[in-house]
């Protein structure tokens, strides 16, 4: 790191980008912004490693832009000149300059509005769970079965194998925190439990921001817990196009039921967040199909809120440990090597340094991006990382005359399924920080979040899509390059989905909508729907996703599938994949239910119990 210079430039940027919000805002928005600068610097340090140096260089290059204008670098200019330079850069014809500004602006916005989230936040138990297993530096480990990655795929696999009496080692790159180590959906959670602090991007003509969990329990620790079984027509598509065996609805039923039982999947019934109910009411008014989605949530009258969201650290991880399984957190696997009948895992522990682990069988459950990256880094490439799929999602912030959001309001649970499987509409987390990020394309109106966030909520339109992407490791870097290409149909479907979302939000009483489309203006009535493009503009829509899969599809169709119907890598002995990578195509619904049921099915198949 370049020490003072970079710090000074980031600090100057943070002051300049935050200053407009201090004017008449609550005291939390006032200077000094030292914590904000520290937050932006921490997020920079977490950033995807191949972007870190270019962003550092570009930020320093930006600092020099003050020289021709005022003979001094940006960071030592007076505030009015700084603001002018920022405005010029935001409108620059050069995409990378605009991207740099957007990156800093989103980090500052997140940090600044995250302060509002902290008001009324209950104290969190931030300590990591003491590591269950700490090998001495240089010590080598052996086990019968190693599972890499402890998200839903890995945790369920490891638990069922350990409960069957196998000697299982579960290796996880991230730290081991309890569910209550931080407030759900807070900045602390991003820093503790997200990969790269949540700043990850799939590159393409239209970039798509995505996020992954990196902690014991993986994505299950940070998600909303919305549960769907895999739709039967999707299972049929996998059977017919990928020749997947044992995948009919009735084959999968016992696995869905087991996971639903183990995670207490249930309907909330009442007490829904008002913002979620709004969507439901709007859909009913239009005669559209809308439903409450079940969640993994255990009712418990002794808990604040009447219960507790479930996750892997609440369920399968403790069961795994009770069954005698060994868990190795803070240990990143870099490469796999097969010698004779044995596998050697090359890993590095945060506290132990390089580690070698010998095992007979190996399950890779590192998630849809990291699993193909690890396999390719280990020379295993057949249909690996060539067919990444996701649910591209566009967001809209809606403002209502009445109050729809409040601190700790809970997770919205309604989804509009009228247009499924092509697209679904839903409501998402609407804390001030998330609302402010949703308003990034409407900076003039960001003040509304500051003053009026309780009247605002985030909504999304998520498409099944037909585009696809690739995952490739980059020599010398640990983070892989993810590329994604949306098709023309995807842009059209996103356009249609955005229009339907706007329609339902006006139907439920919204008085202003702010879509995540660059250079768009707010929609103030149904008449404004005519201004929405039929097809979302390439490169100008700010898309995101939290659903990634299909990077190592399963099936007996060797022209398409990386692994067989039960997860074994084609042509490689004792090597299995068990995570979201297996899904042949997008499920069109929240995917964790499918990931869990497949992990359950494949573990039982491995044990000869199917
Ligand atoms: C914010 C968010 C909200 C979501 N909401 C929902 C929802 O409501 N409902 C739903 O169904 N789905 C939801 N999802 C998606 C769901 O969480 C994922 O589909 C699911 O977690 C995928 O499970 P997995 O086992 O494939 O991988 P992951 O959960 O990604 O777990 C992979 C694990 O492997 C570890 N790992 C990776 N590489 C290595 C390595 N080299 N060495 C060691 N360990 C490694 C990672 O740190 C991670 O912990 C959400 C996801 C996110 C991010």
């Amino acid at each position: 790191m370049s020490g003072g210079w970079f710090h000074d430039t980031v600090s100057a940027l943070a002051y300049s980008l935050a200053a407009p919000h201090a004017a008449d805002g609550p005291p939390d928005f006032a200077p000094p912004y030292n914590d904000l600068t520290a937050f932006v610097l921490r997020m920079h340090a977490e950033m995807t490693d191949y972007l870190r140096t270019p962003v550092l260089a570009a930020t320093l290059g930006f600092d020099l832009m003050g020289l021709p204008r005022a003979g001094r670098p940006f960071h030592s200019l007076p505030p009015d000149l700084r603001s002018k330079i920022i405005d010029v850069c935001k409108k620059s014809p050069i995409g990378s300059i605009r991207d740099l500004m957007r990156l800093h602006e989103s980090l500052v916005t997140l940090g600044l509005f995250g302060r509002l989230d902290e008001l009324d936040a209950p104290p969190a138990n931030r300590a990591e769970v003491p590591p269950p297993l700490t090998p001495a530096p240089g010590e080598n480990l052996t086990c019968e079965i190693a599972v890499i990655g402890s998200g839903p795929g890995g945790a369920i696999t490891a638990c069922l194998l350990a409960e069957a009496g196998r000697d299982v080692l579960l290796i996880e790159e991230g730290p081991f925190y309890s569910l209550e180590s931080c407030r759900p959906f807070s900045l602390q959670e991003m820093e503790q439990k997200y990969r790269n602090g949540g700043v990850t991007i799939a590159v393409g003509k239209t970039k798509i921001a995505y996020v992954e969990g990196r902690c014991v329990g993986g994505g299950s620790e940070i998600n909303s817990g919305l549960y769907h079984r895999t739709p039967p027509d999707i299972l049929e598509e996998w059977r017919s196009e990928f020749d997947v065996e044992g995948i009919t609805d009735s084959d999968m039923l016992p696995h869905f039921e087991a996971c639903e039982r183990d995670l207490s999947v249930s309907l909330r019934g009442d007490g829904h967040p008002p913002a979620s109910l709004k969507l439901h009411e709007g859909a009913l008014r239009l005669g559209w199909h809308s439903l409450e989605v079940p969640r993994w949530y255990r009712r418990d009258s002794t808990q604040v809120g009447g219960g507790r969201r479930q996750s892997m650290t609440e369920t399968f991880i403790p069961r795994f440990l009770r069954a005698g399984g060994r868990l190795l957190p803070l240990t990143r696997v870099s490469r796999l090597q097969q010698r004779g009948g044995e596998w050697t895992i090359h890993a590095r522990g945060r506290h132990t340094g390089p580690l070698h682990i010998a095992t007979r069988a190996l399950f890779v459950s590192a998630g849809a991006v990291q699993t193909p990256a690890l396999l390719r880094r280990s020379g295993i490439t057949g249909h690996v990382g060539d067919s990444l799929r996701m649910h591209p999602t566009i967001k809209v912030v809606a403002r209502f005359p009445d109050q729809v959001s409040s601190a700790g309001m809970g997770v919205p649970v309604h989804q509009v399924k009228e247009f499924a499987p092509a697209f679904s509409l839903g409501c998402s987390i609407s804390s001030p920080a998330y609302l402010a990020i949703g308003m990034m394309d409407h900076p003039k109106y960001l003040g509304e979040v500051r003053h009026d966030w309780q009247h605002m909520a985030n909504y999304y339109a998520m498409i099944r899509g037909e585009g696809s992407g690739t995952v490739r490791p980059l020599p010398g870097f640990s983070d892989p390059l993810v590329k994604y290409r949306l098709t023309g149909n995807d842009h059209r479907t996103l356009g249609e989905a955005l229009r339907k979302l706007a329609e339902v939000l006006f139907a439920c009483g919204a008085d202003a909508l702010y879509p995540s489309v660059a250079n768009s203006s707010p929609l103030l009535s149904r008449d404004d729907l005519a201004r929405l493009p039929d097809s979302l503009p390439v490169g100008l829509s700010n898309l995101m996703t939290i659903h990634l899969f299909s990077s190592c599809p399963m099936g007996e169709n060797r022209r398409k599938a990386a692994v067989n119907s039960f997860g074994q890598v084609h042509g490689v002995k004792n090597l299995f994949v068990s995570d979201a990578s297996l899904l042949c195509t997008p499920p069109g619904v929240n995917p964790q239910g499918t990931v869990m049921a497949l992990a359950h099915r494949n573990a039982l198949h491995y044990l000869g119990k199917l």
Side-chain angles (χ1 to χ4, degrees):
M1 181 79 54
S2 73
W5 189 10
F6 185 61
H7 174 281
D8 291 349
T9 308
V10 168
S11 173
L13 266 167
Y15 262 81
S16 303
L17 292 167
H21 303 287
D24 57 344
D28 316 83
F29 283 79
Y33 297 117
N34 299 341
D35 60 327
L36 208 55
T37 304
F39 172 73
V40 176
L41 289 169
R42 285 202 302 281
M43 296 301 269
H44 181 267
E46 278 292 317
M47 187 176 291
T48 316
D49 56 3
Y50 60 84
L51 284 181
R52 220 172 287 148
T53 307
V55 167
L56 179 97
T59 307
L60 298 180
F62 163 81
D63 196 38
L64 297 178
M65 287 175 74
L67 291 178
R69 292 180 156 256
R72 280 190 285 159
F74 170 85
H75 76 259
S76 56
L77 294 178
D80 55 330
L81 270 180
R82 283 190 204 162
S83 302
K84 278 192 189 138
I85 293 184
I86 289 176
D87 283 345
V88 167
C89 288
K90 278 199 210 168
K91 291 180 196 136
S92 166
I94 304 167
S96 54
I97 296 184
R98 287 198 312 271
D99 287 349
L100 183 74
M101 284 300 105
R102 191 170 175 96
L103 173 72
H104 283 288
E105 196 172 12
S106 30
L107 293 178
V108 168
T109 304
L110 205 54
L112 194 63
F113 285 79
R115 293 168 172 191
L116 280 186
D117 291 357
E118 294 310 310
L119 302 177
D120 309 324
N125 168 18
R126 293 193 184 173
E128 281 182 50
V129 178
L133 174 66
T134 35
E139 181 185 339
N140 291 331
L141 296 170
T142 57
C143 59
E144 182 193 348
I145 305 170
V147 179
I148 301 168
S150 65
I156 292 177
T157 305
C159 175
L160 296 187
L161 300 181
E163 286 181 342
R166 304 303 179 91
D167 165 29
V168 185
L169 179 68
L170 177 56
I171 309 162
E172 167 57 51
E173 178 181 350
F176 190 3
Y177 282 110
S178 68
L179 203 55
E180 71 272 20
S181 64
C182 55
R183 196 174 188 215
F185 311 108
S186 63
L187 298 192
Q188 283 82 11
E189 186 175 72
M190 282 183 180
E191 294 195 58
Q192 275 184 359
K193 297 182 182 175
Y194 280 55
R195 180 172 295 281
N196 302 118
V199 187
T200 26
I201 207 114
V203 296
K205 281 189 183 155
T206 300
K207 299 186 191 69
I208 306 180
Y210 69 90
V211 287
E212 300 169 284
R214 181 179 54 191
C215 56
V216 172
S220 78
E221 305 302 313
I222 58 173
N223 68 28
S224 299
L226 299 178
Y227 175 83
H228 288 275
R229 291 182 181 178
T230 327
D233 50 331
I234 300 287
L235 294 176
E236 175 52 26
E237 180 178 295
W238 297 353
R239 191 197 62 73
S240 62
E241 290 180 19
F242 287 79
D243 296 341
V244 184
E245 294 169 359
I247 198 80
T248 63
D249 207 24
S250 55
D251 292 324
M252 293 298 288
L253 186 63
H255 309 293
F256 291 135
E257 287 178 341
C259 296
E260 288 161 15
R261 196 178 51 243
D262 292 340
L263 271 100
S264 312
V265 171
S266 56
L267 287 171
R268 184 180 173 122
D270 55 12
H272 298 300
S276 185
L277 277 174
K278 282 272 178 206
L279 182 75
H280 188 56
E281 284 163 20
L284 296 185
R285 245 170 241 164
L286 294 170
W288 293 354
H289 175 46
S290 165
L291 51 85
E292 176 190 344
V293 180
R295 294 178 71 210
W296 34 91
Y297 193 87
R298 191 160 51 78
R299 315 240 145 250
D300 179 351
S301 53
T302 63
Q303 298 274 335
V304 183
R308 199 172 162 89
R309 184 171 70 78
Q310 296 297 279
S311 72
M312 293 302 121
T313 60
E314 291 283 299
T315 54
F316 287 93
I317 297 285
R319 265 173 61 181
F320 166 73
L321 294 171
R322 277 198 299 276
R326 289 175 290 161
L327 171 62
L328 192 56
L330 291 172
T331 305
R332 176 184 167 83
V333 174
S334 53
R335 205 161 49 84
L336 314 171
Q337 204 176 10
Q338 196 172 30
R339 279 206 208 101
E342 284 235 320
W343 284 98
T344 302
I345 298 170
H346 299 267
R348 174 176 280 276
R350 194 185 291 174
H351 303 303
T352 52
L355 263 182
H356 294 114
I357 301 159
T359 183
R360 207 178 64 74
L362 191 49
F363 284 79
V364 184
S365 304
V369 171
Q370 305 301 324
T371 285
L374 175 58
L375 292 177
R376 290 194 78 95
R377 231 181 273 124
S378 309
I380 299 155
T381 56
H383 301 301
V384 167
D386 296 339
S387 56
L388 179 75
R389 304 288 297 270
M390 56 174 74
H391 289 149
T393 302
I394 176 113
K395 290 207 164 178
V396 169
V397 175
R399 198 190 62 205
F400 295 89
D402 38 342
Q403 189 165 325
V404 290
S405 297
S406 57
M409 104 179 155
V411 170
V413 287
H414 292 97
Q415 281 179 348
V416 177
K417 286 289 181 187
E418 179 72 14
F419 311 97
F423 59 87
S424 306
L425 312 176
C427 178
S428 58
I429 301 303
S430 300
S431 62
Y434 279 75
L435 285 168
I437 286 295
M439 292 289 281
M440 290 277 303
D441 292 301
H442 304 274
K444 264 203 306 201
Y445 304 91
L446 204 51
E448 294 188 12
V449 177
R450 199 165 73 230
H451 298 295
D452 220 16
W453 70 271
Q454 288 96 339
H455 289 250
M456 303 170 95
N458 271 317
Y459 294 89
Y460 63 84
M462 165 186 104
I463 70 164
R464 183 161 182 248
E466 56 176 36
S468 75
T470 54
V471 180
R472 293 288 182 269
L474 294 172
F477 294 100
S478 50
D479 293 316
L481 178 66
V482 177
K483 288 189 184 169
Y484 208 81
R485 195 184 65 83
L486 293 166
T487 65
N489 278 342
D490 288 341
H491 281 96
R492 277 186 289 281
T493 310
L494 280 161
E496 189 192 345
L498 177 60
R499 183 181 301 273
K500 294 292 183 197
L501 181 58
E503 220 175 300
V504 73
L505 291 171
F506 281 129
C508 66
D511 58 22
L513 303 181
Y514 304 91
S516 290
V517 177
N519 310 326
S520 67
S521 43
L523 309 172
L524 301 176
S525 74
R526 277 186 57 91
D527 294 344
D528 289 346
L529 294 185
R531 284 201 275 113
L532 284 174
D534 287 340
S535 177
L536 273 201
V538 175
L540 290 178
S541 319
N542 290 303
L543 303 183
M544 53 83 63
T545 192
I546 49 177
H547 298 164
L548 301 134
F549 22 71
S550 311
S551 50
C552 305
M554 61 183 165
E556 305 309 317
N557 181 345
R558 294 254 195 148
R559 281 176 292 111
K560 291 181 164 183
V563 306
N564 76 11
S565 300
F566 295 92
Q568 184 181 344
V569 177
H570 280 302
V572 186
K573 266 194 173 166
N574 291 328
L575 178 64
F576 300 83
V577 170
S578 186
D579 62 20
S581 317
L582 295 177
L583 280 58
C584 302
T585 58
V589 295
N590 305 61
Q592 190 181 307
T594 305
V595 175
M596 296 191 297
L598 287 174
H600 196 272
R601 160 187 176 269
N602 295 359
L604 294 189
H605 185 268
Y606 178 83
L607 292 167
K609 291 188 179 174
L610 273 192

